[in-house]
Amino acid sequence: MDGVGKVYLVGAGPGDPGLITQKGLQLLKTCDVVIYDRLASPSLLQYLKDGCKKINVGKVVGNHAVTQREINQIIVEQAKLHKHVVRLKGGDSFVFGRGGEEILTMEEHGIPYEVIPGITSAISVPTYAGIPVTHRGASQSFSVVTGHTADEEGNLPEDFKYLAKLGGTLVILMGVGNLEKITTTLLEHGRPADTPVAVVANGTTIWQEEARGTLQDICQKVKEAKIKAPAIIIVGEVAAFHFKAKEELPLSGIKVGITGTANITDKLTQQLQDMGAATDIISQSILQMYKDNAAFDEALSSIEKYQWLIFTSTNAVELCFLKWKELQLDLRKLAGLKFAVVGKGTEAALLKQGFHSDFIPSAANVTTLADELSGLVKHDEDRILIPRAEQGSEDLIKTLEKHSISFDDIKIYDIKEIDQELLPDAEQLCRYDYLTFASASGVHGLFKGMQQEQKAELKDSKIVCIGEATKQALVDYGFTNLLVAGEASASGLVQGILSSVKLEG
Ligand code: SAH
């Protein structure tokens, strides 16, 4: 690369991946390298382009955390190697984010940069807990302060006592370890003992927790609720508000960890959240359509050769029609073709393209599909086209061969799994009420690198899977507590969770 690249200091928001700005997300999607912290939501990294380098500077190796000086150095090195560097930081880069220090280093080295503001936890975490930082009649100002200094004892900042006299709302970051000192100092310097206080940990994420009380009793409440950092302390009249939707939905309070390609994770996230569940995408598979695929181009261009087309995934439907458009083919050429789909999800995807399915098997798996389709095809004349994933099941091919049916099996896309290091470990996975799987490859993606003892810890997790092939992959990893969706689609998975929740009452 000639010269140096540009560094974008992007605020990632407080944790909910939906709280990054459009500008920040666009830069994430196109950058060559991302340097990120522990606080930045890991699921944002699913948006990176293929081949984007990821550097985690938030991790602790042995007992060595990457120092700010080392981070500055990494930024400079990467700017010399890559055109677009994103430095992704939790919340906003300038709110206790040390963004300024990174900029000073870049200026020293003549590196061009731009700062994209982020939604700071100082305001958004209270908001998600139902606390407005100002409210007419209750608080006309808010001060954002740190509850921790860099000195050995982790003392309160020198001027903390003056904050007691300040009035308005106090929003204290990095203070939960010093809560006792904070409340004592504020009480000693005149804040009334019944001043409302809220402590919100892991705000805006699926793991948000809070404790409410007063300056007098909040330490006890935080201890009881076992609340730990990262947390925000809110002191003042507004800390007694609960401006949050109070409606009870069928999945309120249920935490679901989702896996799959964007196609399914987007739908699941939307549908589950509409029913009140809290969701996380724990492992996002990335779909890559093969670019130079002469066999596929040839098959579509001479589609008259085929009497049937089999779709075994919604991704295949979408990519097939995308290719059709790319090749500028005439849809009328499909008039004589019959479509076989594996289940309800694929049927719906095909309908979206304007075509009805001619055949859906009685059970949503490829063996039943091939067995039952065999009764419909003319064995000596008909030829079948199967555009599908690299990971597609061999059972389909074996069963068609068993029935002496002619077919062309063309691999049109590959499914790549997210980096192992971004995956949650067993301890984290155990905290979800349900895990969902929409394909056998998604199961492998999450579990193939996991140690046996870790998998054993997950033995009792409730897992909902889309169909029999996915179930089999889970059984092979030793899981037993498995629910299979009644219908092979995102809605089927949601229904599976709903009926299980109802059963448990
Ligand atoms: N630049 C960040 C703050 C970095 S300082 C921002 O603008 O939000 C780190 C502190 O921020 C944590 O110790 C905690 O006090 C607070 N914090 C950040 N994210 C948080 C979250 N999701 N929930 C609660 N506190 C959070």
Side-chain angles (χ1 to χ4, degrees):
M1 198 186 74
D2 293 336
V4 288
K6 183 167 175 181
V7 178
Y8 297 89
L9 226 67
V10 175
D16 177 343
L19 293 183
I20 189 171
T21 62
Q22 298 228 19
K23 219 168 173 176
L25 186 58
Q26 191 52 34
L27 286 163
L28 260 191
K29 285 179 177 170
T30 50
C31 68
D32 305 307
V33 52
V34 61
I35 305 165
Y36 64 97
D37 289 324
R38 194 156 34 106
L39 276 181
S41 164
S43 66
L44 281 176
L45 302 178
Q46 68 187 280
Y47 296 107
L48 301 175
K49 71 177 180 194
D50 195 31
C52 175
K53 184 167 157 187
K54 302 184 219 35
I55 303 178
N56 179 356
V57 292
K59 71 178 164 197
V60 179
V61 184
N63 51 18
H64 170 80
V66 185
T67 64
Q68 188 60 48
R69 187 196 264 269
E70 286 166 330
I71 294 175
N72 296 349
Q73 212 174 346
I74 292 170
I75 295 173
V76 172
E77 278 164 19
Q78 294 304 316
K80 288 182 179 162
L81 292 172
H82 302 279
K83 208 159 155 223
H84 287 135
V85 180
V86 163
R87 168 71 177 113
L88 187 67
K89 295 167 80 72
D92 180 86
S93 304
F94 288 158
V95 179
F96 301 118
R98 306 185 77 169
E101 292 165 60
E102 295 176 6
I103 286 178
L104 288 173
T105 313
M106 288 190 259
E107 287 189 339
E108 243 170 63
H109 288 82
I111 295 168
Y113 63 85
E114 193 176 323
V115 186
I116 316 297
I119 295 187
T120 178
S121 60
I123 297 171
S124 56
V125 170
T127 298
Y128 266 45
I131 299 171
V133 288
T134 69
H135 184 75
R136 209 182 165 93
S139 167
Q140 288 180 311
S141 65
F142 64 96
S143 313
V144 179
V145 302
T146 169
H148 190 272
T149 50
D151 70 10
E152 294 256 309
E153 291 87 44
N155 280 321
L156 289 188
E158 242 317 286
D159 52 4
F160 207 88
K161 52 183 180 282
Y162 302 117
L163 296 174
K165 308 257 183 289
L166 197 61
T169 309
L170 264 185
V171 179
I172 307 166
L173 273 61
M174 297 176 280
V176 75
N178 266 346
L179 189 59
E180 191 102 43
K181 283 184 195 160
I182 290 171
T183 49
T184 318
T185 310
L186 293 176
L187 285 169
E188 273 172 6
H189 292 84
R191 276 270 175 133
D194 62 356
T195 307
V197 183
V199 177
V200 187
N202 298 305
T204 80
T205 76
I206 192 170
W207 311 117
Q208 175 167 319
E209 283 178 311
E210 64 181 69
R212 302 266 192 150
T214 61
L215 275 179
Q216 189 74 54
D217 63 13
I218 192 71
C219 286
Q220 187 56 31
K221 298 256 170 89
V222 164
K223 240 179 244 151
E224 280 164 15
K226 298 199 176 77
I227 284 182
K228 302 225 164 60
I232 279 184
I233 305 163
I234 305 127
V235 183
E237 295 309 315
V238 293
F241 285 103
H242 289 87
F243 288 160
K244 255 170 93 169
K246 289 168 190 78
E247 63 181 330
E248 263 299 308
L249 292 165
L251 295 179
S252 291
I254 301 289
K255 295 183 172 67
V256 187
I258 298 171
T259 67
T261 54
N263 199 325
I264 198 107
T265 56
D266 286 355
K267 287 189 199 115
L268 273 176
T269 302
Q270 183 70 47
Q271 293 183 22
L272 288 167
Q273 288 186 0
D274 284 351
M275 294 199 175
T279 62
D280 256 354
I281 297 173
I282 48 176
S283 150
Q284 175 100 62
S285 316
I286 297 148
L287 194 131
Q288 279 179 327
M289 184 169 176
Y290 291 140
K291 283 209 181 78
D292 300 311
N293 194 348
F296 189 37
D297 292 359
E298 162 63 24
L300 289 188
S301 305
S302 53
I303 196 77
E304 310 81 41
K305 274 197 327 210
Y306 301 98
Q307 285 65 46
W308 283 90
L309 200 154
I310 296 180
F311 285 123
T312 56
S313 72
T314 55
N315 289 324
V317 177
E318 279 164 23
L319 294 179
C320 196
F321 281 93
L322 207 67
K323 192 68 171 182
W324 192 263
K325 280 198 191 120
E326 202 181 295
L327 295 173
Q328 301 191 348
L329 298 171
D330 190 328
L331 278 175
R332 287 172 295 186
K333 282 178 132 199
L334 297 175
L337 192 69
K338 290 199 171 74
F339 293 101
V341 296
V342 72
K344 292 274 179 203
T346 1
E347 182 192 28
L350 186 60
L351 202 56
K352 230 172 157 184
Q353 302 291 343
F355 292 90
H356 288 257
S357 303
D358 297 283
F359 172 69
I360 309 173
S362 58
N365 66 70
V366 291
T367 315
T368 311
L369 180 135
D371 274 335
E372 294 182 357
L373 189 64
S374 150
L376 296 176
V377 299
K378 296 192 198 94
H379 288 241
D380 307 330
E381 298 167 30
D382 288 357
R383 190 160 190 87
I384 301 181
L385 176 63
I386 315 166
R388 58 184 188 141
E390 192 61 54
Q391 294 77 3
S393 158
E394 273 306 297
D395 295 344
L396 177 62
I397 302 310
K398 284 190 199 139
T399 317
L400 289 174
E401 278 170 350
K402 187 180 84 188
H403 293 293
S404 311
I405 296 173
S406 321
F407 60 86
D408 286 331
D409 175 25
I410 300 182
K411 303 291 161 54
I412 63 167
Y413 66 98
D414 196 6
I415 292 172
K416 287 207 154 171
E417 299 307 328
I418 199 163
D419 285 9
Q420 290 288 319
E421 79 160 282
L422 295 176
L423 294 176
D425 60 18
E427 193 186 330
Q428 288 162 305
L429 289 175
C430 281
R431 296 166 67 197
Y432 292 95
D433 299 301
Y434 291 89
L435 301 176
T436 70
F437 290 92
S439 72
S441 64
V443 175
H444 299 309
L446 188 60
F447 296 122
K448 74 171 175 256
M450 195 178 274
Q451 308 271 329
Q452 197 48 45
E453 335 53 284
Q454 289 234 329
K455 278 187 290 234
E457 273 179 53
L458 289 167
K459 207 168 43 48
D460 297 325
S461 302
K462 277 177 260 165
I463 297 180
V464 189
C465 49
I466 203 159
E468 291 300 327
T470 316
K471 179 180 175 184
Q472 189 54 49
L474 286 155
V475 170
D476 293 346
Y477 280 106
F479 293 101
T480 49
N481 202 356
L482 304 170
L483 284 158
V484 180
E487 181 187 297
S489 65
S491 315
L493 287 166
V494 174
Q495 285 306 321
I497 295 177
L498 258 179
S499 40
S500 160
V501 169
K502 272 195 202 132
L503 259 180
E504 306 209 343

